[in-house]
Amino acid sequence: MIVTLTANPSLDTTIELTGRLQRGAVHRARTTTTDPGGKGVNVARVVTAAGSPALAILPAREDDPLVTALADRGVAHRLVSTGRPVRANVTVTEPDGTTTKINPPGAAAHAEELKALAGLVSRHAATADWVALCGSLPPGAPDDWYATLVRSLRPLPCAVAVDTSDLPLRALAAGFPDTAPDLMKPNADELAQLTGCDGGALEAAAERGDPDPTVRAARALVDRGVGTVLVTLGGAGAVLVTADGAWFARAPRITLRSTVGAGDASLAGYLLAQVSGESPDRALQRAVAHGTAAAALPGTALPHPDQVDRDAVTVSAVDLPVAGRASSTPVAHPATDL
Ligand SMILES: O=P(O)(O)OC[C@@]1(O)O[C@H](CO)[C@@H](O)[C@@H]1O
């Protein structure tokens, strides 16, 4: 069972433009769609679509359209009931896949709601393989709320994953090693926030086929107690670093529709592989295959397994950067094993 917490869920509206976005102009939209959103919600949607047990925990009103959409999609969920609508996040996509996002802060959470959310997570963590704490925190939540939650979950048998950004991410890292989760899934910018490197440079190097700077930065987190770091690098693929090794997966070229949810689909793919007992390189391959499939879909649409092409993702082992340049070696997988 994969349990996700989305402390600041959203209803995602996507506006697909017929041309380029221009500041100050009136645009005619090709389509407008609405999907349930928030990072943990998205992870639970992908895991459910893959036929694996998932539970999404979130604060919302029972009659919120987000909750109705989850029920319609068969995504198991538990709510901490609030009297407020969830925030409305807006995505604008252009024909070349350029994705612009506007995420409002959301309504302020009350202390008793946060306490109830933490209680729900702890209760369901007892029977979970993984608990994933995902996304931004609502106003009213202390920046170290995830850090506190990780500390309280660490004695339990479940593994804990965190995918967040900005102040909650910094507060988590400030408590390492006590608050170090089993898995972190930063993108290049988030890894940069933690390690002081240049996120753009990490992605650019990976685009050129050089994962070394990303491996080095992720390795710094492993050295501080994080079990595994899965760094998503957009169209360049992803890097996985553990105490025992590092791997680089190149994403296949696709026609990009929307980057929204690609990181969440990657995390879901990785967790699905983990609960199936797959090796780290194969879990990375599955992560990138899921993320790539999500990026080829519009808005916050997320992939079904039949849209995920693992064969298209190549994985190389990377020498851990002890000294000098790291080098990568292709990892062979028999096609029948995919
Ligand atoms: O504002 P946050 O919590 O950081 O991110 C929220 C969000 O952008 O993340 C998902 C995509 O990853 C979307 O469904 C949602 O709109």
Side-chain angles (χ1 to χ4, degrees):
M1 162 74 79
I2 294 169
V3 172
T4 71
L5 169 66
T6 312
N8 199 11
S10 57
L11 207 54
D12 286 3
T13 294
T14 303
I15 300 165
E16 277 194 300
L17 299 182
T18 54
R20 290 189 60 166
L21 177 67
Q22 287 172 39
R23 292 177 65 204
V26 174
H27 295 87
R28 305 284 169 201
R30 187 200 305 271
T31 60
T32 304
T33 49
T34 301
D35 290 293
K39 296 189 192 314
V41 163
N42 294 342
V43 171
R45 285 174 57 196
V46 175
V47 173
T48 302
S52 212
L55 177 71
I57 295 177
L58 59 149
R61 241 169 35 188
E62 283 84 354
D63 63 350
D64 197 289
L66 163 64
V67 177
T68 310
L70 285 182
D72 290 347
R73 286 165 163 84
V75 179
H77 52 277
R78 295 283 179 281
L79 305 179
V80 165
S81 191
T82 67
R84 307 174 297 277
V86 300
R87 64 192 169 137
N89 290 3
V90 177
T91 303
V92 179
T93 56
E94 299 171 47
D96 68 354
T98 301
T99 304
T100 304
K101 219 158 175 323
I102 302 172
N103 291 0
H110 303 307
E112 59 276 17
E113 291 166 355
L114 294 169
K115 199 170 158 202
L117 274 177
L120 257 188
V121 171
S122 299
R123 174 137 48 90
H124 289 285
T127 53
D129 299 295
W130 279 90
V131 174
L133 312 177
C134 302
S136 59
L137 293 175
D143 294 336
D144 65 353
W145 195 67
Y146 282 142
T148 306
L149 213 44
V150 170
R151 214 182 261 115
S152 72
L153 291 171
R154 275 174 56 128
L156 301 180
C158 66
V160 179
V162 181
D163 177 11
T164 189
S165 57
D166 304 306
L167 293 175
L169 180 63
R170 290 178 197 276
L172 184 76
F176 287 173
D178 291 352
T179 59
D182 300 281
L183 173 69
M184 290 184 72
K185 196 225 67 66
N187 59 26
D189 283 343
E190 290 155 358
L191 187 58
Q193 287 172 21
L194 288 182
T195 58
C197 62
D198 175 348
L202 299 185
E203 272 194 26
E207 279 289 354
R208 295 192 305 272
D210 177 9
D212 299 3
T214 306
V215 170
R216 259 190 290 275
R219 179 67 203 210
L221 299 184
V222 172
D223 289 344
R224 294 178 61 200
V226 179
T228 297
V229 182
L230 169 63
V231 189
T232 48
L233 297 162
V239 156
L240 187 77
V241 178
T242 70
D244 302 322
W247 297 266
F248 175 38
R250 310 241 16 201
R253 295 283 158 217
I254 51 152
T255 303
L256 179 64
R257 293 286 299 277
S258 156
T259 58
V260 182
D264 310 330
S266 298
L267 175 56
Y270 181 83
L271 295 179
L272 282 165
Q274 277 287 312
V275 294
S276 308
E278 295 183 24
S279 58
D281 57 306
R282 293 195 38 77
L284 174 63
Q285 183 188 47
R286 194 160 178 184
V288 171
H290 272 81
T292 303
L297 295 170
T300 317
L302 294 167
H304 283 262
D306 57 6
Q307 295 167 309
V308 176
D309 181 7
R310 288 178 78 149
D311 291 315
V313 180
T314 54
V315 182
S316 310
V318 182
D319 290 341
L320 285 174
V322 178
R325 256 193 70 77
S327 63
S328 59
T329 328
V331 180
H333 291 298
T336 49
D337 189 29
L338 291 169

